[in-house]
Amino acid sequence: MPMLLPRLIALGFLGLASTAGAATLDGLAVDVTNTSEPVLCAEKDNVAINFASPEVKHFQIEAVHPAYMGSLRQDRWEPDWTACEDITQETSAKPHPTMNTLYEDGNLRIMGLSFTEFWRPSDVTVTIGDKVTHRIHLLQLLKKRGDKAVEVLVIYPGDGYWRIKPLPPEHLDWTSYGSSFLVGPVEFDQRPVVNLKDVAFDPKTMTFTLTLAKGGKSTVAVKALNEERMTLDVAFDLGVSGLPFAGLRSMYVTEFNADVARIAVREAGARSWREEPIMNFPGAKVTDAWMGRLVPSRHNTSAPDMMFNRFRAAPAP
């Protein structure tokens, strides 16, 4: 029995882990469109998947380690400037940002980074607890684990871009980010953006509150964070009409050089998943959408898969 119990516990964790690929079997069906464009440069976000429904006021975003994570022994995250004609390492280099610790306790550290220049004007107020700060171009959330603080989430207040990832598995010290996502009315200003007026974070509840420039607020709460997944619970006080309420941005050049290569969706009422290469996806009305990789890429090899689901007109009871 002593040997059996740990194995049963491990199987229980495996069962929980498998839910990242399972359909929720409930929730609203939303319009998912694909405005991705082919490129040769691996440093351009050419993948764009958009989520739209005026009814949605609540949904879930989840980052999960890719299926091959357990066998990964070597990670790759260096930029690949091959075939990048209009951008280079030199033109993309920026002066080192000013970094300030905005909040720290026994579990968390929040860093605020300020650049000498940002790609678009930004005057978003950042509030951490009761501390108000201006000219923050990048917020980093780090989770303390042992003697290390591991970065697991970033948000750019100036354009509304987020990246998240689970804690690294035991056999890796660090994992890379991959796909970005947007929460709120997705507009176009040279590229898809969400315009924000204020970003606030409550360390006690692990909740971000976004004041949207188009009106209304959104909350983004960290509901799970472990060595398998990071789960965000997203809610709007007002539905988003006429624009996507969320979007995923990523990179695809080839199957072996991509941050996201495939998409799987459960269409409304379907009895099975629909799976295909992400660049071929024509769009659908879906209740669940997974975007990720089945084979290791030479670009951001450890970056997580992403899941969007549990779309509802009101928060779940």
Side-chain angles (χ1 to χ4, degrees):
M1 185 65 179
M3 291 297 295
L4 180 60
L5 182 58
R7 297 175 70 180
L8 288 174
I9 293 174
L11 287 173
F13 282 122
L14 288 173
L16 287 173
S18 68
T19 60
T24 54
L25 299 178
D26 66 356
L28 297 171
V30 304
D31 291 312
V32 179
T33 56
N34 185 2
T35 56
S36 304
E37 298 178 344
V39 297
L40 294 176
C41 175
E43 298 308 313
K44 289 186 176 181
D45 279 346
N46 62 306
V47 174
I49 304 295
N50 312 297
F51 299 81
S53 169
E55 298 179 74
V56 169
K57 291 186 178 179
H58 181 263
F59 66 104
Q60 178 177 280
I61 301 174
E62 196 164 56
V64 183
H65 289 311
Y68 54 76
M69 195 64 162
S71 62
L72 184 63
R73 290 295 178 266
Q74 181 181 0
D75 202 355
R76 294 183 175 91
W77 60 85
E78 296 84 359
D80 177 6
W81 303 103
T82 306
C84 297
E85 296 179 352
D86 54 340
I87 59 172
T88 65
Q89 184 173 4
E90 289 73 23
T91 61
S92 300
K94 304 293 182 185
H96 196 276
T98 300
M99 305 178 66
N100 292 296
T101 301
L102 303 182
Y103 176 86
E104 187 164 13
D105 62 22
N107 296 313
L108 298 175
R109 180 186 301 154
I110 308 294
M111 300 296 297
L113 279 64
S114 300
F115 301 97
T116 54
E117 58 183 69
F118 192 65
W119 76 274
R120 67 196 299 252
S122 173
D123 189 26
V124 181
T125 302
V126 172
T127 306
I128 309 296
D130 57 0
K131 182 178 180 179
V132 179
T133 311
H134 296 275
R135 294 198 72 255
I136 299 296
H137 297 116
L138 174 63
L139 272 179
Q140 297 174 322
L141 187 152
L142 297 89
K143 179 72 170 68
K144 293 185 178 180
R145 187 172 65 167
D147 59 350
K148 295 182 179 180
V150 182
E151 184 182 319
V152 293
L153 178 152
V154 296
I155 175 175
Y156 292 81
D159 56 19
Y161 276 73
W162 301 68
R163 283 179 172 172
I164 61 174
K165 58 183 179 178
L167 292 169
E170 290 185 2
H171 69 286
L172 292 176
D173 290 332
W174 183 88
T175 57
S176 60
Y177 288 116
S179 301
S180 305
F181 62 87
L182 296 155
V183 170
V186 181
E187 304 178 79
F188 195 86
D189 177 8
Q190 304 179 58
R191 64 179 184 177
V193 300
V194 170
N195 290 304
L196 303 173
K197 294 175 64 177
D198 180 80
V199 174
F201 180 70
D202 182 351
K204 295 180 180 179
T205 62
M206 294 285 285
T207 300
F208 292 87
T209 300
L210 314 177
T211 303
L212 306 170
K214 292 187 74 66
K217 292 190 176 184
S218 173
T219 58
V220 180
V222 179
K223 290 299 184 184
L225 175 59
N226 52 44
E227 287 79 4
E228 176 66 25
R229 71 189 66 244
M230 183 174 192
T231 306
L232 302 181
D233 189 80
V234 183
F236 299 117
D237 61 354
L238 301 172
V240 178
S241 298
L243 293 169
F245 63 82
L248 178 129
R249 301 296 313 284
S250 196
M251 180 282 292
Y252 177 92
V253 176
T254 61
E255 184 89 14
F256 58 83
N257 191 7
D259 288 350
V260 61
R262 298 188 63 84
I263 185 169
V265 298
R266 178 177 177 264
E267 298 173 274
R271 300 303 304 169
S272 64
W273 287 83
R274 169 180 162 190
E275 305 172 74
E276 56 194 295
I278 199 160
M279 299 301 288
N280 297 348
F281 178 62
K285 202 171 185 71
V286 314
T287 59
D288 302 76
W290 167 93
M291 292 142 289
R293 298 172 295 188
L294 300 180
V295 298
S297 166
R298 298 187 67 83
H299 192 268
N300 293 333
T301 313
S302 64
D305 299 343
M306 301 296 297
M307 175 77 86
F308 288 64
N309 60 12
R310 302 189 184 276
F311 306 109
R312 294 184 171 89

